[in-house]
Amino acid sequence: MKLKKPIAMITAVIMMLCLGLTGCRSTDENTSGDEHEPLTLLSLNIDQPAFLAALEENCPGVRLEFISYTGGSGTGYSQYLLDKGHPPDIYTISVFGMLDKQKEYLLDLSGYEFLNNYNTVDINQVTLDGAVYMLPTSAAIMGLYYNKTMFAEHGWEVPQNFEELKALVKVIREAGIDPVAAQFKLPGNGFFDVFTMAKTGFLSTPEGRQWEEDFKNGDATAAEGLSTAVEAIQELIDCGFLDAEDTKRSSSETTNYFYDRGAAMYLNAGTIPRYTQNEDGTGDVYGIMPFYGPGTDNMVLIQQPQRYFGLSKELEEPGNEQKLEDALRVMEFFSTQEGQTALLSKKDNYVPPLKNSEIPEDSPFYEVEQAIRQRYVSTLAYAGYEPVIIGVGNKVRDWVQGKCTRADVLACMDKLQAEYLSTGMPVEGTAACDFTHEETVQLQAEAIRLAAGTDFAMISMGVMRGGKENMGGACGQIFEGDINEDALISLLPNYCTDVLYVLTLSGADITGLLETGLVTDGGTEGFPYIPAGLTVEMNKDGTVKVVTLADGSRLDENAGYTVAFNKRGFADEIGERGNAYETDIPIIDAMRGYLSTHSPLTPLEPSVIRP
């Protein structure tokens, strides 16, 4: 490997960063003298066992420490880490943006030989003023997915243009079948629909790309670039391709609705989980077609690298020679076909960015290979639109529900962009200092306790136990400074719109949960709960020594108490025992209420005291 710069030593800053993130790490930081210090990496969409096995074979001695993340916005949390100057050693994100922050906090990789393994066009897309801070992995090809088996059974032809798509929708509806299962739970989906339609035409032209720059700078209106796109989407609403029922399903319900043959096609701002009905490859088979826009030749596929990877600039600090060498070995491994494959959680859903790579005939993308080769391909619209994505996506959902018009969508986009240009990203709150992971979880527990008006609240730590991640826990940590909406969403467990639940539990039940944590299906080791409204002192063996309430009294094992939880924050058995009921309070509203009255935030007195 060709090293382009002198390797330097670690500072106290990186040591503090490493210590600050330990609450959500998967391995012990204590290392023996002959072991390499582990490199930190967020656990986003990586098949960890397979990747670690491949890494060990190709890079013996290199150690990774996955930072667990199972929240609702991995992209948002990755952006938050980079914005606050706390990227892990190996930084990963699903979108390419934050150009100034890349330059400030990431290592320039442009002088390393492993860049020669990539297609020139892919490297050009990540080059900033001659420097390369992040490298792409295999790209997802996003299109309009369809049930091949159902199409064959009914004799439906795959449409080749926009008019044929609308005609097919009518035929499918006449057969008593829903034409499409469309995702709207996350607001990014509605934004994706508008911009993908625009990329079938105007936004794929030089004039369209110039409009994007002008809009971001406040020199163009949404109507000037997106009028044709929203008119086309109105046609899809009018013909029954999209309807209000699509907006009522959760993300998982929408996917399952398609897999259960509720709809013939599937629209999502991302990839399809798999191309067969069942995980073992049996059942219906699915295919992909381009997104079509008005006109005979207007179509597009969205090519989006699964992730981008870069290295923290702090790896160049004095004392960090071994970590930098190991990190570069990992990047070199990423730059091989084996490394690209090892990174993938779904092996058949991506096209690698490496030279001499082909699309095999058994790939789900083989049927759109011609469109890919003819460059009917564009990138995902995201970078630079962060101030408007959520608001526009929510307004598109309202539009599909019949609550507003396409003109309202465009007006909303103009308003949000104007507000951003005049005031910057809206701030939900501020933090006076960096929080640890546990302090962040405790603050969220206190926020939901106050919002639900319960005696206590409990949220489990988003950590790893026995190689498993906690899908119902809170991950991440709050850093000093402003907390915008994207950052807030990324810190919450699961989806930000999930409502709170209230259970009535005995003191004995509460003590049991504090000792066992959240035990999930198939788990033997619980994920620790962090409570609010009480203080628990633990024994060395993990049992509860004493629980003290806010008024100084002791927890009564026989009394009943109300306890607030997040949606996936308790096991079914506990829910039944505590007569769980659903409130109408989204967790994001609970947090917003807390931030509005408690900013600048400071850590609370610890609610868990350990020996």
Side-chain angles (χ1 to χ4, degrees), residues 202-283:
F202 180 63
L203 289 194
S204 292
T205 66
E207 294 79 11
R209 288 187 283 272
Q210 183 60 53
W211 171 84
E212 290 195 83
E213 292 304 313
D214 291 342
F215 177 80
K216 292 173 185 177
N217 292 329
D219 298 325
T221 66
E224 290 169 339
L226 301 175
S227 288
T228 300
V230 295
E231 288 170 6
I233 292 176
Q234 184 65 62
E235 291 185 50
L236 293 179
I237 294 172
D238 294 341
C239 77
F241 180 80
L242 297 173
D243 60 38
E245 290 301 311
D246 291 318
T247 67
K248 299 177 182 178
R249 303 183 190 98
S250 70
S251 296
S252 60
E253 288 171 345
T254 302
T255 303
N256 291 333
Y257 182 61
F258 175 66
Y259 280 137
D260 293 339
R261 294 184 139 228
M265 292 175 281
Y266 178 71
L267 177 63
N268 176 39
T271 59
I272 192 172
R274 58 184 182 274
Y275 280 83
T276 57
Q277 188 174 23
N278 303 314
E279 292 185 6
D280 63 1
T282 60

Side-chain angles (χ1 to χ4, degrees), residues 370-435:
Q370 186 175 3
I372 294 172
R373 299 305 178 202
Q374 293 178 351
R375 304 312 297 169
Y376 285 103
V377 174
S378 187
T379 55
L380 186 70
Y382 190 99
Y385 290 111
E386 292 88 346
V388 305
I389 289 175
I390 293 175
V392 170
N394 287 332
K395 186 62 72 171
V396 170
R397 185 170 56 206
D398 291 344
W399 174 26
V400 175
Q401 291 173 340
K403 297 178 180 178
C404 67
T405 68
R406 62 182 184 269
D408 295 325
V409 172
L410 299 179
C412 172
M413 187 168 175
D414 285 335
K415 179 176 181 291
L416 291 171
Q417 186 66 5
E419 290 175 351
Y420 167 69
L421 291 174
S422 63
T423 63
M425 283 287 284
V427 174
E428 301 283 353
T430 61
C433 61
D434 292 347
F435 283 54

Side-chain angles (χ1 to χ4, degrees), residues 536-556:
V536 55
E537 187 175 350
M538 307 296 293
N539 294 311
K540 288 184 178 180
D541 63 359
T543 59
V544 170
K545 181 177 181 180
V546 64
V547 177
T548 306
L549 308 189
D551 62 4
S553 64
R554 299 291 178 87
L555 183 75
D556 185 342

Side-chain angles (χ1 to χ4, degrees), residues 21-29 38-53 55 63-69 88-90 92 307 309 330 334 342-343 462-465 467-469:
L21 288 172
T22 55
C24 46
R25 298 238 178 118
S26 62
T27 63
D28 192 341
E29 284 206 344
L39 299 165
T40 54
L41 170 65
L42 276 181
S43 65
L44 296 172
N45 298 320
I46 296 176
D47 185 344
Q48 294 179 32
F51 178 70
L52 289 174
L55 184 69
R63 301 176 65 230
L64 287 185
E65 204 171 84
F66 282 102
I67 303 170
S68 180
Y69 184 84
D89 297 327
I90 301 175
T92 179
R307 308 213 66 75
F309 284 88
V330 173
F334 285 168
L343 281 168
V463 295
M464 293 187 186
R465 288 289 185 270
K468 295 181 180 294
E469 292 189 271

Side-chain angles (χ1 to χ4, degrees), residues 55 62 99 105 157 178 191 226 255 263 291 530 558 574:
L55 184 69
V62 173
L99 309 186
Y105 295 118
E157 295 290 332
D178 194 346
F191 176 87
L226 301 175
T255 303
F291 298 105
I530 305 301
N558 298 312
I574 294 297

